[in-house]
Amino acid sequence: MLTRVKSAVASLMGGMMTADAEHFGGGGGSDLPLRFPYGRPEFLGLSPDEVECSADHVARPILILKESSRLPWATGYAEVINAGKSSLNEDQACCEVMAVKPRPTGSATPNQTSAARRRSSLPNGEGLGLRDNLDSSEGVTFHYWALFDGHAGSGAAVVASRLLHHHIARHLQEVVDVLRNPALLPPTCLGEEPVNNHHHHHHHHLTPTSQRALTRAASLRGAAGAPGSPSTPPVRFFTEKKVSHESLVVGAIENAFKDMDSQIGKEKMIYNISGGCTALVVIFLLGKLYVGNAGDSRAVIIRAGEVIPVSREFTPESERQRLQFLAYMQPYLLGNDFTHLEFPRRVQRKEVGKKMLYRDFTMSGWAYKTMENEDLKFPLVFGEGKKARVLATIGVTRGLGDHDLKVHDSNIYIKPFLSCFPEVKVYPLAQCDHDADDVLVLGTDGLWDVLSNQEVAEAVTCFLANCDPDDQHRYTMAAQDLVMRARGVLRDRGWRISDDRLGSGDDISVYIIPLMHGNRET
Ligand code: MG
């Protein structure tokens, strides 16, 4: 165990950015077939030769969306591979316009799982989006942008980039009929009939379900409780939480992430799906932007040059209390090697019996306690900033995959500490005025590690101001400029950016999504 912790600490201090496949298994050497071949995002339209050239860790060419190919809303995109920390670019991206049709009722077969049809990707997604609105009597369309940042292999990121939007479409299909009726609150129970359609005996033998149906019908008529009626149960039975349409979309996104994660877990039995990945998704549906984040990518809106953060990062530091509480409740998850308490540094044997600073899951501040032998174990959460790790292994605490990731040379699984659930924030885009220079920037941590929100906002605002406002390629050029500013240029002692700071050695992927289009399309 001592050796194991020493080697874990060595890699911690060595500044390794993430766990990699050689050290943590879970992919390398698998005899199973790949679920999907490795590649770069479909919308880049790269040839196999170009994919190979893109993996040049020395030249680090910045790939951009070709002028001939277009994403919805003239979205811009650019990416670059890392400086050698993994042989492949473990970032992945996906952008689609999806149509969600209501599931046929009555004759539908139970195993009919073909959810929404993919309506369009390339080229001219925008034009199709317009046409979709015309036949929207049948359903709804949503726009989808996603970034995935893989670790310990590219498998999970590739699979998630190919499949997550289908899970989202399937879950939205469940609620599409409700969403298309914004005037009505979502019914608590689907398939409820208006009260006057019920058979006579329902009025005499109220089941809990038909009671709710009554409530529903009564509240729709604006007469909840119907005080004078002798057959009406007391009002307290009618208490029902009102659920918004918006939260149905949030729930659909959350459950889609859960299904994607368990699909990866199951398919690992028959396919080689290496590693895990973070996921940042943006969905535009019925006038609103939904930003779902599980991991350390980031989304910010830049409006009139000002930054509006629309996501939060999930890291060992930001999720320390959740992780510590889990370990406190289920200590066997730590094996015999870790303690759920946090200390500012490792406790030394000679310090047992002395008072030292610590904090538990109940604390955001620090306090002193007398050290015991138990406190000599390695802390569950250890390290600061980009070097913070859970179980000395992983620097991100939410995402998809990682089902077989273990602490180096042990039988301690990391997965129980990782959450696959995104935090979803909602931005009412159609209600806000935006001009052509207002954008939503999505970036993997490779961008945000070296550039602050403010630096990104200034760079983008300045770049767009100097572009022809009618040039639809301007958002891709702005994305290329951002990736360049984060990667820097190669000097004798490595990649350097402005003020001689170190450039990002990580994979960097950036979308720049103009927001004025959201005002027109709903
Ligand atoms: Mg990264």
Side-chain angles (χ1 to χ4, degrees):
M1 175 57 208
L2 197 58
T3 321
R4 180 194 317 154
V5 165
K6 268 184 186 160
S7 96
V9 172
S11 85
L12 205 70
M13 298 316 172
M16 295 263 301
M17 300 296 276
T18 48
D20 67 89
E22 290 79 47
H23 288 90
F24 296 101
S30 168
D31 291 333
L32 298 171
L34 291 171
R35 179 68 165 86
F36 294 105
Y38 171 80
R40 297 316 306 151
E42 206 180 330
F43 56 70
L44 287 179
L46 300 185
S47 68
D49 277 354
E50 289 172 313
V51 170
E52 196 173 317
C53 291
S54 77
D56 183 335
H57 297 283
V58 179
R60 296 183 77 192
I62 296 174
L63 310 188
I64 62 172
L65 191 65
K66 290 171 182 162
E67 205 151 359
S68 56
S69 50
R70 291 185 55 195
L71 292 176
W73 298 1
T75 297
Y77 177 85
E79 64 165 51
V80 71
I81 197 168
N82 63 78
K85 74 166 195 170
S86 62
S87 60
L88 299 173
N89 186 337
E90 294 180 345
D91 283 2
Q92 291 291 339
C94 177
C95 181
E96 297 282 350
V97 178
M98 304 282 289
V100 184
K101 304 286 174 200
R103 196 156 43 190
T105 49
S107 60
T109 56
N111 58 358
Q112 183 171 359
T113 53
S114 71
R117 290 202 319 266
R118 196 175 89 182
R119 189 54 79 87
S120 81
S121 55
L122 283 170
N124 296 326
E126 212 168 351
L128 281 169
L130 201 67
R131 198 185 68 204
D132 285 343
N133 282 337
L134 295 177
D135 65 324
S136 63
S137 58
E138 302 163 51
V140 295
T141 64
F142 68 92
H143 291 60
Y144 171 86
W145 300 260
L147 287 178
F148 306 90
D149 182 345
H151 49 256
S154 55
V158 170
V159 170
S161 73
R162 298 292 196 101
L163 297 181
L164 180 58
H165 50 296
H166 296 292
H167 284 286
I168 293 172
R170 195 168 47 78
H171 281 279
L172 286 173
Q173 189 181 34
E174 298 281 326
V175 293
V176 64
D177 283 327
V178 181
L179 293 177
R180 282 172 36 73
N181 262 313
L184 299 180
L185 281 174
T188 297
C189 177
L190 281 181
E192 285 174 344
E193 301 161 69
V195 67
N196 55 2
N197 286 348
H198 277 239
H199 293 299
H200 185 69
H201 69 268
H202 280 154
H203 293 273
H204 298 287
H205 307 283
L206 285 174
T207 63
T209 308
S210 58
Q211 275 181 6
R212 278 202 296 273
L214 271 171
T215 313
R216 185 77 222 127
S219 70
L220 287 178
R221 291 196 311 266
S229 166
S231 63
T232 305
V235 170
R236 60 192 157 89
F237 289 132
F238 284 150
T239 301
E240 191 169 298
K241 184 169 268 185
K242 292 199 172 41
V243 172
S244 66
H245 285 81
E246 202 174 282
S247 62
L248 286 186
V249 179
V250 173
I253 296 169
E254 289 166 335
N255 281 343
F257 273 63
K258 186 179 70 178
D259 286 356
M260 184 71 258
D261 189 55
S262 36
Q263 184 182 1
I264 292 171
K266 284 190 202 110
E267 295 196 348
K268 277 180 95 93
M269 310 291 173
I270 47 173
Y271 294 105
N272 171 12
I273 304 176
S274 59
C277 66
T278 69
L280 170 62
V281 303
V282 173
I283 283 149
F284 178 69
L285 173 68
L286 298 169
K288 288 176 177 163
L289 281 175
Y290 296 84
V291 181
N293 190 35
D296 60 359
S297 295
R298 183 185 299 170
V300 300
I301 285 176
I302 301 169
R303 187 181 176 185
E306 296 296 310
V307 175
I308 307 170
V310 281
S311 71
R312 284 194 305 145
E313 286 88 72
F314 297 97
T315 65
E317 286 182 302
S318 71
E319 293 217 274
R320 172 184 60 84
Q321 284 169 290
R322 175 179 75 76
L323 303 168
Q324 286 184 301
F325 183 60
L326 174 61
Y328 167 79
M329 294 298 284
Q330 308 199 32
Y332 64 89
L333 294 175
L334 299 176
N336 267 322
D337 303 335
F338 292 90
T339 167
H340 77 275
L341 295 181
E342 186 190 12
F343 305 102
R345 60 164 168 78
R346 289 299 304 281
V347 181
Q348 296 170 276
R349 185 160 293 282
K350 64 181 182 196
E351 291 168 327
V352 171
K354 293 183 179 161
K355 287 202 165 188
M356 279 186 61
L357 285 170
Y358 84 104
R359 59 181 173 178
D360 206 340
F361 68 90
T362 52
M363 307 166 69
S364 65
W366 296 82
Y368 287 97
K369 84 173 201 74
T370 306
M371 291 298 105
E372 303 162 39
N373 280 322
E374 178 75 13
D375 301 325
L376 295 171
K377 292 177 176 175
F378 200 84
L380 165 66
V381 172
F382 192 73
E384 264 187 293
K386 288 307 284 183
K387 290 180 179 173
R389 291 287 181 276
V390 179
L391 296 168
T393 303
I394 189 167
V396 66
T397 51
R398 293 202 193 190
L400 307 166
D402 286 318
H403 292 78
D404 50 18
L405 182 61
K406 289 178 183 179
V407 175
H408 181 61
D409 198 22
S410 88
N411 266 320
I412 301 171
Y413 281 93
I414 309 292
K415 186 67 173 170
F417 293 95
L418 306 179
S419 167
C420 64
F421 293 104
E423 179 179 65
V424 184
K425 299 201 180 196
V426 188
Y427 182 79
L429 181 59
Q431 293 171 32
C432 306
D433 275 331
H434 288 288
D435 69 29
D437 292 356
D438 293 344
V439 294
L440 172 58
V441 178
L442 310 182
T444 50
D445 65 332
L447 175 72
W448 306 106
D449 284 351
V450 295
L451 297 180
S452 67
N453 289 357
Q454 205 52 49
E455 286 172 315
V456 166
E458 277 164 25
V460 171
T461 304
C462 177
F463 189 94
L464 290 178
N466 287 304
C467 283
D468 173 0
D470 294 323
D471 179 3
Q472 292 297 288
H473 203 52
R474 65 204 295 258
Y475 303 104
T476 281
M477 301 308 287
Q480 180 185 39
D481 177 64
L482 270 190
V483 172
M484 175 73 89
R485 284 168 184 269
R487 181 202 67 177
V489 292
L490 190 57
R491 305 244 185 87
D492 0 306
R493 296 189 337 279
W495 293 88
R496 295 281 161 170
I497 61 174
S498 62
D499 306 331
D500 209 37
R501 290 180 293 174
L502 270 180
S504 173
D506 197 4
D507 303 310
I508 308 167
S509 309
V510 174
Y511 278 113
I512 297 189
I513 305 170
L515 293 177
M516 58 188 281
H517 296 263
N519 301 348
R520 292 194 251 114
E521 295 183 54
T522 53

